Amino acid sequence: MLRSLVGSEMCIRDSYRGSSLQNYLKLIAEGELRAVVKPQRDICFVKPGTHRTVQEVLSRSDERGCGEELCCQLGLGHLMDRELDALSGGELQRLSIACTAAKHADVYIFDEPCSFLDIKQRLKALEVIRTLCTDSTYVIVVEHDLAILDAASDSICCMFGSPGAYGVVTPRSGPHQAINQFLGGYFPALNMYPNPPNPNPNPCGRRRFRSEPLDFSPPNHEHEEQLSQAPQLLSFEPSSLVLQGDQSSFTLHTDGGDLRASQVLGLLGENGCGKTTFLSRLAEEHADLVSVKPQMNTCLRDFDGTVSDLLEAEIGHILGDRLFGLM
């Protein structure tokens, strides 16, 4: 969808003639309207071996002369001389937002701008994105975090469909209404109804696009009591770890603790405070008990084969398990 919004003459002629997007794409193709995109994955910035710094990348995009101001807003000031290969996922995300916001454009498109960012950085990123809205410009944001989408948007279009079959974009509505209807699984504006009448459903109406509403009910107190009595799986002692780099050093102090069966333990903290380092150390010390999903799994992109080939190579011994099949 975002690729279509950037536009091409072929898209207009073959796919969008007579639709509400035709005039927009025509202006894009004729150069009367410029759209810039913050991509979902920042592979256009990160190319190993180029030795480019944050300063070099940002200066190439700074068409509005606001690069220094954006650095202050997004907390990039202390990273200007650091090479891109040394940046974390959150730092690369903020750099990508800054490079997009620094360009001259009529339409700014941000595809998942808050991935890898902590809460404080997400709010800062939203401030930058909101400032791009003027009397002559507008912004489109794609986001999965409903709280961030609510804070960022003046109006929302929801999308649903079936992969490889069809897709539907709902009419614009207010953030609260759109989010609640999306969670509920049906849109009254599209002649949907929550509970299909029986035995003769309305032939002009459609059933919900999701069979059940999404529910965020917290766990009950009985579950908390069960967790306190659950068996201990692993424990870790108080420790300190010093990571020494070429340009800086980092010290992580951790208290002792344990992990118990049937428990989901969350780690909350700002980027750069040591969450990933702590998890990596935990995985090293308890390699027989811990499986890690890394923040950025670039090795999957480098795998030469199909999804089935990868699953067979990594977890072939459990592919025949019935519970795995249900996933």
Side-chain angles (χ1 to χ4, degrees), residues 108 127-140 152 154:
Y108 294 89
E127 290 180 9
V128 170
I129 292 173
R130 293 287 304 186
T131 60
L132 297 173
C133 293
T134 67
D135 293 338
S136 58
T137 63
Y138 60 91
V139 175
I140 299 173
D154 296 309

Side-chain angles (χ1 to χ4, degrees), residues 66-327:
C66 58
E68 184 175 343
E69 180 183 354
L70 289 170
C71 286
C72 293
Q73 288 180 284
L74 295 171
L76 296 171
H78 65 293
L79 302 173
M80 300 306 290
D81 296 326
R82 189 168 299 182
E83 294 184 0
L84 300 190
D85 292 344
L87 299 181
S88 68
E91 291 164 347
L92 283 171
Q93 184 71 281
R94 284 179 282 155
L95 174 61
S96 182
I97 293 172
C99 289
T100 304
K103 295 180 179 179
H104 273 300
D106 304 291
V107 185
Y108 294 89
I109 303 174
F110 293 87
D111 193 356
E112 299 188 24
C114 291
S115 301
F116 306 117
L117 301 186
D118 61 44
I119 298 299
K120 184 174 71 174
Q121 291 170 349
R122 291 183 179 198
L123 295 177
K124 291 292 185 181
L126 290 186
E127 290 180 9
V128 170
I129 292 173
R130 293 287 304 186
T131 60
L132 297 173
C133 293
T134 67
D135 293 338
S136 58
T137 63
Y138 60 91
V139 175
I140 299 173
V141 176
V142 176
E143 183 56 59
H144 294 292
D145 188 320
L146 299 183
I148 294 298
L149 193 61
D150 185 18
S153 305
D154 296 309
S155 59
I156 293 177
C157 293
C158 297
M159 300 181 67
F160 65 92
S162 179
Y166 73 96
V168 176
V169 181
T170 67
R172 286 193 303 176
S173 58
H176 293 176
Q177 181 181 6
I179 291 173
N180 287 332
Q181 290 179 356
F182 179 80
L183 292 175
Y186 68 98
F187 296 97
L190 297 181
N191 203 18
M192 290 182 173
Y193 40 86
N195 299 307
N198 288 313
N200 297 314
N202 179 3
C204 297
R206 288 195 282 182
R207 301 177 186 275
R208 13 175 358 121
F209 70 90
R210 191 189 312 111
S211 59
E212 299 291 337
L214 298 179
D215 186 10
F216 293 94
S217 299
N220 55 42
H221 295 294
E222 293 181 1
H223 180 67
E224 296 178 0
E225 294 177 359
Q226 293 173 358
L227 287 179
S228 63
Q229 302 173 3
Q232 183 185 91
L233 295 181
L234 61 87
S235 62
F236 47 93
E237 301 296 328
S239 63
S240 295
L241 176 66
V242 178
L243 300 178
Q244 186 67 48
D246 296 334
Q247 302 173 346
S248 61
S249 63
F250 174 77
T251 303
L252 173 65
H253 301 287
T254 57
D255 295 330
D258 60 42
L259 298 177
R260 297 181 176 275
S262 303
Q263 180 185 45
V264 177
L265 178 64
L267 295 182
L268 180 63
E270 296 184 10
N271 283 348
C273 69
K275 300 185 297 297
T276 300
T277 302
F278 170 70
L279 292 179
S280 299
R281 186 173 185 181
L282 200 64
E284 292 176 1
E285 295 178 351
H286 303 276
D288 56 332
L289 296 174
V290 178
S291 175
V292 178
K293 199 293 293 182
Q295 188 179 80
M296 292 187 295
N297 203 341
T298 55
C299 62
L300 295 182
R301 297 285 178 183
D302 299 331
F303 183 80
D304 186 17
T306 65
V307 174
S308 296
D309 295 335
L310 177 63
L311 291 175
E312 185 68 35
E314 295 291 333
I315 56 172
H317 60 290
I318 65 169
L319 284 180
D321 187 274
R322 180 176 176 275
L323 290 178
F324 180 83
L326 293 175
M327 298 172 59

